[in-house]
Amino acid sequence: MNFSELFKQSNQLCRLSPDGRYSAVCVQYRLVIRDVHTLQVLHLYTCLDQIQYVEWSADSLFILCAMYKRGLVQVWSLEQPDWHCKIDEGSAGLMASRWSPDGRHILNTTEFHLRITVWSLCTKSVSYIKYPKSCQHGMDFTKDGHYMALAERRDCKDHISIFVCSEWQLMRHFETETQDLAGIKWSPNSCVLAVWDSCLEYKVLLYSLDGRLLSMYSAYEWSLGVKSVAWSPSSQLLAIGSYDEKVRIINHVTWRKLVELEHLSTIRNPKSVIYKEVETCPHLGGDGLSFPPISTEKSSLFNSESKYEICQPPVDVPVVKPDPDRANPKLGIGMLAFSPDNQFLATRNDNMPNTLWIWDAQKLKQYVVLEQLSAVKSFHWDPCRARLAICTGSNKVYLWSPAGCLSVQVPAEGNFQILSLHWHPNGDSLMLLSKDQMCVCYLETAGEN
Amino acid sequence: MGDWRAVIMPEQEPSPDSKEFNYRYTSRSHMSPHNSFIETLPLFTSHNLSLFCTKENVEQCIAYLNQELATLGFPSFYTEEAPRELNLETILNCMYDLLQLHRKGLRMLEDMETQNLKSSSNMDHLYHSQVKLKDQLELSRREVISLQEKDRQQQLKNRTLHNLLKNEKEEIQKLQNIIASRATQYNHDLKRKEREYNKLKERLHQLVMDKKDKKLCIDILNYVGRSDGRRSVWRTGKTEARNEGEMYKSLMNNYERHHKELMVENIELKQVLQQMKKDMMSILNRRKQRPKEHMEDCSGIAGSDDEEDSLESNKENSLELSCDAVREQLTNSIRQQWRILKNHVEKLDSRASLVKPGFHDDDEIISRDDHEQEIEKLKGEIQQCRDMIKAQQQLLQRKGFEEERATWLKQQFLNMAPFVESKRPKIMKPQSALSISAEQEKHKIQSQPNMSAYLRPNTAPVATAELSPNTKFPPINSAASTETGRTVHLTPETSSKFAPKRGNVGSYDVKKNGGGAAHEKCRGTPKPSSDHRYYNGCSSLWNHSQEDNYLDENSLRSTNEPNCK
């Protein structure tokens, strides 16, 4: 594994282009385009204000920079560095901005979710979509980019509109049976739309592409409901993570529950492998192995090495009890992701923040448990294979694959605390982001410990 | 004369008063047989008789006795004819009768005493058992009371728990009602707020739109072409229809793909089921050929008949993918076969468990002991083998080493041979001492330092000096003679080394022909008869002169190869 030097960045706005050739790094109001392999600066663009959002177009030809405070979106071209485009929302303000899948339209969500403006880079046309719903995942495009589903709220009721992206034509518009829609997600085969309600009610609805309700799933009543949802890449399974610390997997044939995956605080299953991250402080002399309790980033003063040890069950997982009086408790399955080959499902239970659970998606059983020294900040699967990269806010990046587990310290001067990471589209390198620095990690082989 | 008082002889009279008896018994309980004997004593002591009758009052005595006995029913003493004449026969008879009476009385007394004893012991026993039973009764009464108390407490607890449960349930119900009512309230509030919010949004939207901000624009250098390179199309009904069509097409494609996959899976599963059915049938058919239960027979046969039919029909219909009837038939037949198989296996299991429990245990018990014994035996054998192997390894090592040394020493000797000749007299002396074991010690002491000196490579040139005078060697010391003596001295020892190697001995013979008598003597001694001794002596000398760690090896070798020839 090779590490590049550190580069400055702001707001953790570093994105790799979808074709894998360029990396875009924002430094305050400047946008730096680098070549991925040589890290040579190819272009440098200057925006009018501090950039708050960056997105590549799907064909990697354009890149948009959104400045919410000014209500501006600036678009840059990689082919023609002189080309410029500026979109001003004016007094409508700007809350969010994104590309359409064809890379030629920009969808701006104005303030207060008043409307969504569709700006076309090809024509002079502007479209407006009224009443978008203000929720976390209110808009989703299909994988092939043909259709867009948008959640709307009219007359105190939730609706979903399905648009054809090629002409922005409204194809279907139907009401959903949710109280307060929290999110929508297309299945990877673009045929089924999963819609889930807010956490006050556990309800997952499945609509087909033409707007028919296929099925409804509700695991229980009264308690806090769905927290996260993920489709398996083959569209055969839908994993629903909820506040009761369980993941329920639904199958696409009957839309019924296949299995309930529990995140127990004591792991007794003798077949699951438990990797525990252990600090090895070499300068303390000898084999100074220490098992510190849940530590925060601030305590890693020594920038010590760490390695993984295999523990035998039964193992107690450290639990952080959430405050019952506060809203949005840190409880339940907040992060959920399938591996690209459908083999594994990685989950994080928010009240066991140091632990990452990996489940075998074929057998629907517990497979591996990774216990880290600090809370898991984010994890992403390699886009091409079953390899998981994890960062916990320490200066180490952790990799897991079925072959084993690896903890690598980033050789950087000073404090480099990894807060987020992005995989390169071909899975050969990782972009590691700290608060204001960026580092690229090149993975040579897939072999681990 | 009659101043005699009626002496009351209370012991003799069988008193009907039981109390007196008891009293008597209790006071003399341990001595009653003796007592009865004592009772009889007064009869035989003349003491009482003398008091009763004296010479003077014979007539009165007789008359008294007659009277008394008459009252008792005995006939009178006097004869019938003459009133003064005593009928001796009657007197004697009376006496005899009285004696018999007395004896009977005593016997009865004895019996009654034993009976008395028995009954009193019975009474004791009964008394004690009564006491015990009373205690037991008291205890069990207390237990019963305590258990009752416990039961009461438990029931009380149960009741309180029931009440608690009821209360909790009621509370839950209440809370749920509260939640439900609050939920409706909140929903209502929420809807109201949302409507307000929507109104505001509309207003804001209008304002924003009305303002017609000049800023609300896109400033683009030049418009970009579409990503697919085609021109954009007007939105018309045709395009709408086309879009719809495309959407349905994609949906259909998805469904068809799904359908195909399911069909393939279905066919595979059906094949698996068919295979399973065939296997089960074959197993059961094999079983049918042996004698078995009647029940299974009938159902099995019936099943198989069904099976054959359905098998044929299945063969026909296997190409028809999902015919309801065929599917049902298949599943039913498999279920049937499976049931038969399951019953069969269960029966086998039960039979096995009936037949073998004892055997199993015995086998295990026996085999465990045997097993352990075997293990011990094998462990011992392994240890022995290991020791042997170690010993042999050591032997081999030394053998190798000794071979090297032998060759090296041989070389030395061969080089030294001329030296040996000139120093014959010196040779003689130490040689003659060789066979004497007592002097071996001396030689040992002598030869030890010599030996070590000799063995040092530095001394090698001394031996070879004579051979090639032209070669450069370190100057021969004054000790050269001693050294040669040493070397000569050493020959028997080295020969002892060579002794087991016949080849070497032979060569030595050849080389040292000029050695003279000493050598011959040396040669002579290793003749069959004294062979062993010589060898032993030499070897012992050799042993002493060598370092300690060769000691064992040579002694071993001597033991291993007694025949050095």
Side-chain angles (χ1 to χ4, degrees), chain B residues 97-123:
Chain B
D97 287 335
L98 281 171
L99 202 65
Q100 291 299 326
L101 271 173
H102 179 72
R103 281 203 186 121
K104 231 200 304 184
L106 283 179
R107 250 182 283 142
M108 267 176 68
L109 186 67
E110 259 185 61
D111 287 342
M112 289 190 80
E113 275 178 359
T114 51
Q115 250 187 19
N116 192 18
L117 270 174
K118 270 188 209 165
S119 50
S120 53
S121 72
N122 274 349
M123 269 200 55

Side-chain angles (χ1 to χ4, degrees), chain B residues 51 68 97 116 385 391 423 446 460 478 537 564:
Chain B
L51 284 176
E68 288 293 320
D97 287 335
N116 192 18
C385 293
K423 299 293 169 185
Q446 272 183 15
S478 55
C564 50

Side-chain angles (χ1 to χ4, degrees), chain A residues 77-123:
Chain A
S77 159
L78 257 73
E79 285 178 320
Q80 305 173 31
D82 303 329
W83 187 89
H84 63 87
C85 170
K86 185 178 72 161
I87 299 169
D88 195 339
E89 284 291 339
S91 41
L94 189 63
M95 258 190 75
S97 177
R98 62 184 293 176
W99 283 103
S100 73
D102 64 356
R104 297 289 177 272
H105 294 85
I106 292 178
L107 291 95
N108 283 346
T109 311
T110 58
E111 248 177 313
F112 307 118
H113 289 271
L114 272 183
R115 63 162 191 259
I116 293 181
T117 327
V118 183
W119 299 93
S120 164
L121 296 179
C122 314
T123 68

Side-chain angles (χ1 to χ4, degrees), chain A residues 24 68 78 80 86 88 95 115 133 171 199 213 221 242 258 262 277 298 313-314 383 408 421 426 435:
Chain A
Y68 298 142
L78 257 73
Q80 305 173 31
K86 185 178 72 161
D88 195 339
M95 258 190 75
R115 63 162 191 259
K133 174 119 197 211
M171 203 172 64
C199 58
L213 175 65
E221 283 194 299
S242 47
L258 275 182
E262 266 194 279
E277 191 198 352
K298 300 176 194 118
V408 182
L421 49 81
N426 63 6
K435 188 153 174 267

